[in-house]
Amino acid sequence: MPTVPVADVPATGVKQFWPAISVTANGEVNLVYYRSEERQATADPNDIECDVLLGDGEGERIGKVSSLVDTMWVHSEDGGVTFKAPLKVSTATSNWCTVSSNIFPTFGDYIGSISGSNHVLAVWTDSRNGVPDVYFSNIFAPGKNP
C-alpha cells in the first residue's frame, strides 16, 4: 500500500510528531499528534527564550528559538486513503522551552486516542500552565452529531 500524507507538508521550522492512531469499527481512521513551530516566542529579538535540559546527561538547549506546540487531529472516512484537513485540538499553545519539569521527556510519550462511532477521545500533555499537565477532548467528526 502506498504511503499517504496525513497533514500538510510542514514549512521550515515546523515539526509534526508522536502520532496516536485509533480506528472505528467501520474503518474510520483518527490520528492525534503534536505540531511544533520553532520560532522566536517573544517580541524582543535579543531574548534567550529557550533554556531547557534535554535529558539525563544529554546536555542543554539554549537559544532564541522556542518550540511552540499544539495538538492536532486528522480524520479519514475511507480507511486512511485520504485525510481531511488537520484541526487544532488544544485550546492553548505550549512553549516547551519554558516548561518547569524534572521529567524527561516532558511530553510525547503522553498522547493517546480512542475512536467511537461518532467521536474521538484524545488525551495529551501540554504546558499552558508552566508545567506538564494532562488535557482531554471529546472530538466530534465534522458533520456528525454528538
Side-chain angles (χ1 to χ4, degrees), residues 83-105:
F83 285 85
K84 308 282 185 190
L87 297 174
K88 184 177 167 183
V89 176
S90 52
T91 57
T93 299
S94 293
N95 183 346
W96 282 101
C97 287
T98 59
V99 65
S100 176
S101 174
N102 64 354
I103 58 173
F104 302 103

Side-chain angles (χ1 to χ4, degrees), residues 40-89:
Q40 180 75 31
T42 68
D44 185 346
N46 297 313
D47 280 351
I48 300 298
E49 180 66 23
C50 193
D51 187 358
V52 294
L53 294 175
L54 298 178
D56 191 24
E58 294 181 29
E60 190 171 14
R61 177 180 172 188
I62 301 173
K64 297 180 180 182
V65 177
S66 290
S67 295
L68 305 177
V69 180
D70 289 301
T71 303
M72 308 296 289
W73 167 65
V74 291
H75 175 76
S76 173
E77 295 178 348
D78 57 13
V81 176
T82 61
F83 285 85
K84 308 282 185 190
L87 297 174
K88 184 177 167 183
V89 176

Side-chain angles (χ1 to χ4, degrees), residues 29-45:
V29 179
N30 294 286
L31 190 131
V32 177
Y33 63 96
Y34 292 116
R35 183 178 193 278
S36 175
E37 183 177 345
E38 304 290 306
R39 65 178 166 86
Q40 180 75 31
T42 68
D44 185 346

